[in-house]
Amino acid sequence: MSLISIIIPIYNEAKCLETLATRLFSIEKNIEEKFEFIFVNDGSNDETLDILHSFEKAKENVKFISFSRNFGHEAATTAGIDHAVGDAVVVIDADLQDPPELIPELIQKWKQGYQIVYAQRRNRIGENSITKLTSWMFYRVFKLVSHIDMPLDTGDFRLIDRCVAEQLLTCREQNRFIRGLISWVGYKQCAVLYDRDERFSGRSKYNLIKRSLLAMDAFLGFSTVPLRIVLVFGIIICFFSIIMLGIIVVQRIFFAMPMEGYALLTSAIFFLSGVQLFVMGLIGEYVGRIYTHSQNRPLYIIAEQSESLPKGYEARIELLKKAKV
Ligand code: UDP
Ligand code: MG
């Protein structure tokens, strides 16, 4: 019989937790697999941690990890995957936008031989049109520039096999985009379609700025195409500038025309300064990522965790190495 680890990253979702737990735990009844539920408290400042303590006391296969502060959704998901010991690992949001009742279907596909089973959104209820449009664009542009076969319109709600989870253990970059990493690992993938529900309670922790930052992590983490685009842009601008210069010189020498057009000149200078700042900023983003990565800080700090969970991912990597020798 297989063990399935369910990872739930949580940031201030106390109001959702009771209903989430009832719905999550009820999937156990109709399925032969065993489960471990790993709740990851990402530095919540509501009653989340107290509720997790009570869950742990009430049910023996409930475990939790609690961070010393808010490290972000990607770090919380990473911590869950790092500590999971199941043959398959499912990541699901705490706000009940992803229906726990779909998990048996994901497991079914996994048993048919797929190592990654992602839940693909057919519909997104209760999300505004800007979120839907920007997210629709993001998936398509990302696919184009990253050369990674990442499925369109899928969130983090998915099942991964142990072999994929082990590979993720070795990817320790700071600015993470886990959906991209999972697709990057490869293996056989398939989709299960579902309708994304409204949030059970509270508001999304991702506003437009946070969403854009995550999109930037995705683009810069998986592609150097942005650098190439500005390079090509630079070449085009140089080409036209040389032609313009040629025309001005010819007009001056052969037709004795006065050089006019301060407005044109000023706007050209402003435009080129803008382009240069943009390019410098873009390069800076890549350099910044090299810098944070070279600092080699941990991705998250655990303040408290269930006794039954393995301690730290380094220990797991050591075990893995020994198993391979
Ligand atoms: N979350 C987290 N840390 C954060 C932000 C969010 O662990 O810093 C959790 C959150 O509690 C939820 C999941 O990540 O379970 C997805 O977050 P949210 O629902 O706000 O994102 P959305 O569904 O709007 O993209
Ligand atoms: Mg949500």
Side-chain angles (χ1 to χ4, degrees):
M1 197 192 301
S2 322
L3 175 71
I4 314 284
S5 305
I6 312 279
I7 313 290
I8 313 112
I10 307 166
Y11 181 50
N12 291 343
E13 308 281 8
K15 290 205 179 81
C16 303
L17 290 182
E18 289 294 341
T19 316
L20 170 75
T22 317
R23 284 177 60 182
L24 259 184
F25 301 156
S26 68
I27 58 171
E28 275 182 304
K29 290 180 197 136
N30 313 318
I31 197 162
E32 59 170 11
E33 267 71 30
K34 284 187 148 207
F35 287 86
E36 65 165 356
F37 298 94
I38 307 181
F39 293 85
V40 186
N41 172 31
D42 184 12
S44 304
N45 36 39
D46 60 0
E47 303 81 52
T48 295
L49 186 56
D50 299 331
I51 300 175
L52 296 187
H53 277 137
S54 68
F55 286 172
E56 193 203 25
K57 275 197 199 105
K59 201 162 156 29
E60 62 65 47
N61 59 348
V62 169
K63 300 156 189 190
F64 76 90
I65 293 167
S66 187
F67 286 173
S68 59
R69 64 168 172 85
N70 178 250
F71 278 87
H73 180 199
E74 304 286 310
T77 309
T78 305
I81 297 173
D82 288 348
H83 291 79
V85 292
D87 304 296
V89 180
V90 176
V91 178
I92 183 167
D93 284 357
D95 57 5
L96 289 166
Q97 281 196 284
D98 309 326
E101 294 74 19
L102 198 74
I103 293 175
E105 223 177 299
L106 303 182
I107 296 173
Q108 207 51 44
K109 286 277 178 198
W110 170 65
K111 283 166 126 182
Q112 286 169 14
Y114 294 96
Q115 283 86 18
I116 301 174
V117 187
Y118 47 85
Q120 193 165 31
R121 300 183 278 235
R122 200 170 13 208
N123 223 327
R124 303 170 71 136
I125 305 161
E127 288 186 90
N128 66 43
S129 11
I130 295 183
T131 307
K132 283 187 197 164
L133 179 73
T134 46
S135 139
W136 184 90
M137 274 168 34
F138 165 75
Y139 285 105
R140 275 129 195 107
V141 178
F142 181 78
K143 197 166 178 156
L144 201 72
V145 301
S146 69
H147 305 298
I148 289 180
D149 192 17
M150 192 176 84
L152 302 171
D153 310 319
T154 53
D156 286 304
F157 185 27
R158 62 186 62 201
L159 177 148
I160 56 174
D161 185 83
R162 173 110 307 268
C163 64
V164 179
E166 299 297 2
Q167 292 309 321
L168 288 180
L169 280 182
T170 59
C171 302
R172 304 316 286 181
E173 62 243 57
Q174 290 283 339
N175 303 86
R176 302 165 77 73
F177 180 58
I178 294 182
R179 275 167 254 179
L181 277 178
I182 290 178
S183 301
W184 175 85
V185 168
Y187 292 106
K188 242 173 111 182
Q189 319 191 4
C190 77
V192 169
L193 290 175
Y194 79 113
D195 292 317
R196 192 154 209 242
D197 288 331
E198 258 180 274
R199 254 183 166 272
F200 180 76
S201 158
R203 293 178 59 186
S204 170
K205 312 292 181 297
Y206 280 96
N207 53 27
L208 199 60
I209 295 177
K210 269 195 155 184
R211 242 173 246 288
S212 315
L213 290 176
L214 184 66
M216 194 134 100
D217 283 339
F219 284 127
L220 304 191
F222 285 94
S223 165
T224 48
V225 169
L227 283 178
R228 235 171 273 157
I229 292 174
V230 291
L231 184 75
V232 171
F233 195 55
I235 293 172
I236 294 173
I237 290 180
C238 285
F239 178 73
F240 281 111
S241 317
I242 290 168
I243 292 185
M244 255 171 69
L245 201 72
I247 293 173
I248 291 169
V249 170
V250 169
Q251 282 179 340
R252 181 98 182 109
I253 297 177
F254 297 105
F255 303 99
M257 283 167 76
M259 278 202 281
E260 279 172 1
Y262 283 106
L264 179 75
L265 200 67
T266 327
S267 44
I269 291 172
F270 270 98
F271 174 68
L272 285 180
S273 317
V275 169
Q276 277 183 355
L277 281 178
F278 173 76
V279 173
M280 263 160 55
L282 184 69
I283 297 171
E285 282 292 333
Y286 280 100
V287 176
R289 276 162 173 72
I290 298 171
Y291 173 60
T292 42
H293 190 73
S294 66
Q295 285 174 320
N296 205 15
R297 291 195 185 143
L299 296 176
Y300 50 82
I301 293 169
I302 296 177
E304 197 185 334
Q305 72 173 60
S306 299
E307 276 302 311
S308 51
L309 280 177
K311 301 266 181 301
Y313 90 99
E314 288 90 352
R316 309 266 330 272
I317 292 219
E318 279 310 308
L319 279 178
L320 253 176
K321 277 188 197 150
K322 273 185 199 147
K324 279 185 187 148
V325 171

